[in-house]
Amino acid sequence: RPPRDPSLQTQASGPAAETAPALDPARVIKVDTSWAHSLFYLPCLKRAAAQLGYLDLVKCGSRSADADIFWHDRLDCPVTRFHIGRLRRGQKMNRFLTMQYQARKNPLAKRLNRLASLFPDDYNFHPQSWRFPAEVELWRKQARRFRCGPCGEPLEGQPAFYILKPDNGSKGQGIRLAEYDSVLQTWAAMSRVRDPPDADDPSSSGSEPRGPGSGPGSG
């Protein structure tokens, strides 16, 4: 496509439509929003279109040759080969196959930790993470009870806090903050573990959660 003019604005409705310049068809990128979540993502797309000036939000259907990008974020209907197979040459989709699984906390933390062990200089941008319950023992060995000072010394009386995230969910739902001594108890409450393990007892591993997929993804 030719270079885009930032001064161009997307088509507007109402009184603003009279003053907004018409979009140049040669410079417009059409985004199909038939599968956009109306509550969360569609307002964001509308703001982006208004700011960028070269996006045209349309609803033309997944078989259309008119759209340049298909925006798909419906969790009740994940992207499959069926959706990818309908793309024509030059068309794009905002998601890739298995993205809904790969982006979950447990698989993502596992892969980032693996890559960090292989390429420590390149994958040092994410915080140290542990997957519960599989890595409870590793957390006991590596986690710090107190915050560290400028020279790495533990600061007595200043407990270290950990972020606990559920494996499923998004947009910050279900996230808890806990200090070292209450991490396992907080995780047990999140995942409905009957007998939570003791942070200082390596022989204590706790009971399995009653429901699958209910535990936090990383600590």
Side-chain angles (χ1 to χ4, degrees), residues 5 34 42 48 65 78 95-96 103 122 127 172 208:
D5 187 358
S34 301
L42 191 56
R95 289 176 176 260
F96 53 83
D122 298 319
E208 291 298 322

Side-chain angles (χ1 to χ4, degrees), residues 62-112:
S62 58
R63 291 185 179 271
S64 175
D66 296 332
D68 300 296
I69 300 175
F70 292 96
W71 190 274
H72 192 300
D73 54 46
R74 291 276 299 276
L75 298 180
D76 58 330
C77 183
V79 173
T80 63
R81 290 184 175 87
F82 174 77
H83 301 93
I84 301 298
R86 287 185 170 188
L87 295 177
R88 301 169 186 259
R89 184 176 182 179
Q91 291 181 326
K92 306 294 183 181
M93 185 171 285
N94 68 308
R95 289 176 176 260
F96 53 83
L97 287 175
T98 72
M99 179 176 175
Q100 189 171 0
Y101 170 76
Q102 301 294 343
R104 294 181 67 175
K105 282 78 169 182
N106 255 312
L108 184 61
K110 180 179 180 180
R111 284 159 176 77
L112 287 175

Side-chain angles (χ1 to χ4, degrees), residues 11-12 17 32 57 62 66 73 77-78 81 100 108 110 121-122 128 143 157 166 168 171 174 184 186 192 212 217:
Q11 293 175 342
D32 178 72
L57 305 184
S62 58
D66 296 332
D73 54 46
C77 183
R81 290 184 175 87
Q100 189 171 0
L108 184 61
K110 180 179 180 180
D121 295 334
D122 298 319
Q128 189 175 13
N168 52 356
K171 307 174 189 66
L184 295 178
T186 304
R192 303 191 301 275

Side-chain angles (χ1 to χ4, degrees), residues 184-185 187-198 204-212 214:
L184 295 178
Q185 287 74 19
W187 164 71
M190 294 171 64
S191 54
R192 303 191 301 275
V193 173
R194 291 186 294 273
D195 300 314
D198 188 346
S204 173
S205 58
S207 301
E208 291 298 322
R210 295 189 184 123
S214 58

